[in-house]
C-alpha cells in the first residue's frame, strides 16, 4: 500500500506502522486524535470528520496556516529554505523575536524541524526550542507534502485544537473513534506506579488517559491506543484487546524471537 508522509519529521511518528495500524481502525462518524503530532495517521485515513489535537502550540499554528493560507505558507517557507540561513540564527530568532502564531513562526518551525537533530521537538522550561542542529548537508523542502496536508485539512470537516488530551476525550460521544498515540512510558518501575511528576507524561498520566478512554467507550465511542510493549502498559490497558506490532517484523518475519516493540490496544462499546 502507498503510505502518505507528513511534511514533518516527528519522534514517535507512526509512518512505518501505518499498514499494521489501519486494519485496527474501525469506521465511525468522527475521528478524534488527542495526540496528533505530525499527523501521519490523519493523512492516511478517510473519515468524514476529524478533531486533531496537540498541546504543542507551534505545531497547531502550522496546521492553521496550512488550512487558512497555503500559498503564503509555501512562499514564506520556500524563501527560508532557499536562503539556507544558519540553523542557530533561525532558532534564536524563533525563540526571541518572532511573534507567536505568526506566518513567519510557522515557516521557521518547519525549517527547524527539517534541520534539527532527528526531528526532535523539545523546549526548555522557559518555552525555548532547544534542539541542536542535525548538521545535514542537504535539506529537503517538503513542498508536495505541505500541499497534500493542506488539501487534506480543507477537504472535509477538520477541527484543530491546541489543548491537553483530556479536554477532547471528554467530548467524545457515541459513534466516535478515538485514536491515541501519546508519549510512551517505559516500564522503569516494573509495572508499579510510583507517583506523579508534574509536567511529565508518566504512568499516572497514562492511567488518567485510560480512565478517560474507558468513560468515552461507556458513552459509545471506540478507543484505540498505541504504546510500547511493556508490562506497565499492558497492566494499565488490561481490559483492552492487545495486538503486538513491530515495523521490524515486516522485514524479518521468520525466526525473530524478540518481543514486538509496540502494541495497539482496542476497546469497543461491546467490551465494557
Ligand atoms: C508520539 S507523538 C504523535 C505522533 C503521531 N501519531 C504521528 O504519527 O505523527 C505524541 C504527541 O503528543 C503530544 N502531547 C504530549 N503531551 C500531550 C498532552 N498532554 N496533550 C495533548 N498532546 C500531547 C506531543 O506534542 C506529540 O506531538
Amino acid at each position: 500500500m502507498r503510505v502518505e508522509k507528513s511534511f514533518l519529521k516527528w519522534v514517535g511518528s507512526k509512518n512505518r506502522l501505518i499498514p499494521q495500524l489501519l486494519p485496527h481502525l474501525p469506521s465511525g462518524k468522527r475521528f478524534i486524535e488527542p495526540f496528533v503530532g505530525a499527523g501521519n495517521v490523519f493523512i492516511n485515513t478517510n473519515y468524514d470528520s476529524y478533531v486533531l489535537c496537540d498541546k504543542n502550540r507551534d505545531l497547531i499554528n502550522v496546521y492553521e496556516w496550512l488550512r487558512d493560507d497555503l500559498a503564503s505558507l509555501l512562499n514564506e517557507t520556500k524563501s527560508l529554505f532557499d536562503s539556507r540561513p544558519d540553523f542557530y540564527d533561525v532558532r534564536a530568532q524563533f525563540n526571541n523575536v518572532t511573534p507567536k502564531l505568526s506566518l513567519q513562526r510557522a515557516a521557521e518551525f518547519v525549517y527547524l524541524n527539517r534541520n534539527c537533530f532527528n526531528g526532535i521537538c523539545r523546549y526548555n522550561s522557559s518555552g525555548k526550542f532547544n534542539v541542536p542542529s542535525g548538521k545535514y548537508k542537504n535539506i529537503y523542502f517538503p513542498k508536495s507534502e505541505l500541499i497534500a496536508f493542506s488539501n487534506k485539512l480543507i477537504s472535509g470537516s477538520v477541527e484543530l485544537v491546541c489543548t491537553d488530551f483530556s479536554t477532547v476525550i471528554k467530548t467524545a460521544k457515541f459513534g466516535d473513534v478515538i485514536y491515541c498515540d501519546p508519549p510512551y512510558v517505559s516500564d522503569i518501575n516494573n509495572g508499579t506506579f510510583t507517583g506523579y511528576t508534574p509536567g511529565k507524561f508518566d504512568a499516572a498520566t497514562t492511567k488518567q488517559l485510560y480512565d478517560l478512554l474507558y468513560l468515552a467507550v461507556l458513552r459509545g465511542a471506540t478507543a484505540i491506543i498505541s504504546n510500547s510493549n511493556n508490562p506497565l502498559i499492558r497492566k494499565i490497558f488490561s481490559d483492552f484487546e492487545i495486538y503486538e506490532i513491530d515495523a521490524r517484523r515486516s522485514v524479518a518475519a521468520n525466526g525473530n524471537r524478540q518481543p514486538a516493540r509496540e502494541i495497539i490496544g482496542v476497546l469497543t462499546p461491546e467490551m465494557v
Side-chain angles (χ1 to χ4, degrees), residues 10-15 33-41 53-56 59 163-165 179 181-183 201:
W10 210 249
V11 172
S13 157
K14 283 294 154 291
N15 201 268
E33 272 204 76
F35 308 89
V36 67
N40 284 290
V41 179
C53 166
D54 202 286
K55 72 165 190 187
N56 185 323
L59 178 73
T163 184
D164 185 64
F165 67 91
Y179 170 65
D181 185 17
F201 208 100

Side-chain angles (χ1 to χ4, degrees), residues 21 33 41 48 56 66 76 79-80 96 103 114 127 130 132 152 165 172 176 196 203 207 233 237-238 241 246 272:
L21 174 62
E33 272 204 76
V41 179
D48 289 342
N56 185 323
L66 275 175
E76 188 84 13
S79 53
L80 193 59
N96 304 314
L103 173 64
R114 300 298 313 193
N130 68 357
K152 175 85 179 157
F165 67 91
D176 287 342
Y196 177 67
K207 175 71 169 65
I233 293 300
F237 293 97
S238 60
E241 183 95 47
D246 198 328
V272 297

